[in-house]
Amino acid sequence: MEIQRRAFILAILPAIRLFAQSAPAAPGTQAPSEAPVEFVCPMHPDVRSPQPGYCPRCGMKLVANLPDRVEYPLKMAVHPSAPQAGRELRLAFTVLDPKTGKPVTDFQVMHEKLYHLFIVSQDLKYFVHDHPERASDGTFHFSTVLPKPGMYRVLSDFYPTGGTPQLIVKTIVLPGVAVTPGAELKPDLSPKDSANMQVLLTMRPAQPIAGMKTLLFFHLEPSDGLELYLGSWSHMLAASDDLIDMIHDHPFIADGGPQMQFNVIFPRARTYRVWVQFQRKGVVNTAVFDVPVSELK
């Protein structure tokens, strides 16, 4: 009798498995294989969509099932080891896999480049946005001449394949003056004349509050001939006056017209120097504003 029962069970097992695979899910549940896929912007994780496409803010391709954010170690080599103001300085950047510690050699293009580099001096008067070149071993190289002694903050922006976009800050010190990170900035929201346009800034609220969203509206005159710059209508870098906070962002709303909107959360009550870049008729314009940020009272 026991042998007959086992034979019966073995005979009907295939039918049970087939029924389990094809049977509809119970109300209120969903089969794991049918879980919805969410497409996310790697640079702006708040931009999400049930369909593939591109980020309306920065133009990057939305990624399905974006992995958790993990910081990738970055080694910055400086040559010569004792750099001097006014002389050539060579930088080499090596990105390491956080799991294996081995150099990363595969990167995603982000805003038309594999690597974005920002350099800001300790007095916040010197600003560079440029793009190191990748060697065959995956190391990125960049040569520059820094104008004067002091401390420089170096912000690297890159996207390792299989990871998420990275923003990592390093420091270079050129001897000759006391290192005093940052500078005392007075609020400056006046219109700015750049290469071939004027840039005006208004904000909402008019007095930004640390930790709360601030809308920055940039009005461009003239706006005819406005072009995408590195895949986006604009790039913005904001640095606190003590050079602790550095924010790289892109417009929240922009359509190639005379006005662009950035949504920014300034983390602390400081004055932030904001460099905003636009391209018009092949010319890159950089406008600079000093934005005071207060504490919530």
Side-chain angles (χ1 to χ4, degrees), residues 3-263:
I3 294 175
Q4 290 177 341
R5 185 184 304 113
R6 290 180 181 176
F8 173 74
I9 292 173
L10 291 174
I12 66 172
L13 268 178
I16 294 174
R17 293 192 183 104
L18 180 62
F19 175 78
Q21 294 172 357
S22 60
T29 65
Q30 191 169 28
S33 61
E34 298 177 359
V37 176
E38 187 173 46
F39 294 86
V40 184
C41 173
M43 178 163 282
H44 301 100
D46 57 314
V47 177
R48 300 170 181 265
S49 171
Q51 304 294 333
Y54 294 87
C55 176
R57 291 167 62 181
C58 67
M60 289 189 66
K61 186 176 181 180
L62 303 182
V63 176
N65 302 320
L66 188 70
D68 293 337
R69 292 186 174 271
V70 176
E71 183 172 317
Y72 280 63
L74 177 67
K75 293 172 59 178
M76 181 180 72
V78 179
H79 305 283
S81 58
Q84 298 291 325
R87 297 184 180 180
E88 183 184 24
L89 175 67
R90 300 185 303 279
L91 304 177
F93 301 92
T94 303
V95 180
L96 302 178
D97 188 299
K99 295 180 180 178
T100 67
K102 296 181 178 179
V104 175
T105 59
D106 193 10
F107 296 84
Q108 297 291 314
V109 173
M110 186 167 58
H111 296 112
E112 302 180 0
K113 300 291 182 179
L114 291 175
Y115 204 111
H116 294 259
L117 187 71
F118 298 87
I119 303 178
V120 178
S121 61
Q122 70 176 36
D123 60 5
L124 292 104
K125 294 181 179 179
Y126 178 81
F127 167 82
V128 164
H129 174 193
D130 215 324
H131 310 94
E133 295 293 331
R134 183 177 61 173
S136 58
D137 63 356
T139 301
F140 289 87
H141 296 268
F142 182 73
S143 295
T144 187
V145 176
L146 299 178
K148 52 189 174 182
M151 187 191 79
Y152 292 80
R153 297 286 270 171
V154 181
L155 175 65
S156 292
D157 187 353
F158 55 89
Y159 185 3
T161 298
T164 57
Q166 305 286 306
L167 286 173
I168 299 178
V169 181
K170 298 288 186 179
T171 300
I172 298 174
V173 176
L174 274 59
V177 298
V179 175
T180 54
E184 183 178 352
L185 299 178
K186 296 181 180 180
D188 180 8
L189 308 178
S190 61
K192 299 298 186 299
D193 292 317
S194 52
N196 64 3
M197 66 166 59
Q198 186 180 68
V199 184
L200 298 88
L201 170 63
T202 58
M203 300 185 297
R204 188 186 308 156
Q207 175 56 65
I209 304 297
M212 301 182 70
K213 184 189 298 184
T214 300
L215 308 186
L216 304 178
F217 299 96
F218 294 98
H219 186 80
L220 313 178
E221 297 179 356
S223 63
D224 64 294
L226 194 65
E227 302 162 340
L228 291 174
Y229 173 49
L230 298 172
S232 177
W233 287 113
S234 180
H235 291 257
M236 186 190 78
L237 182 73
S240 57
D241 56 5
D242 57 3
L243 282 177
I244 291 178
D245 306 317
M246 300 190 80
I247 304 167
H248 179 202
D249 206 355
H250 307 91
F252 184 76
I253 298 177
D255 58 5
Q259 182 161 290
M260 299 186 193
Q261 174 185 329
F262 284 77
N263 291 359

Side-chain angles (χ1 to χ4, degrees), residues 266-278:
F266 295 103
R268 296 182 301 134
R270 309 290 305 193
T271 299
Y272 286 77
R273 175 150 290 181
V274 174
W275 295 268
V276 60
Q277 296 183 296
F278 313 91

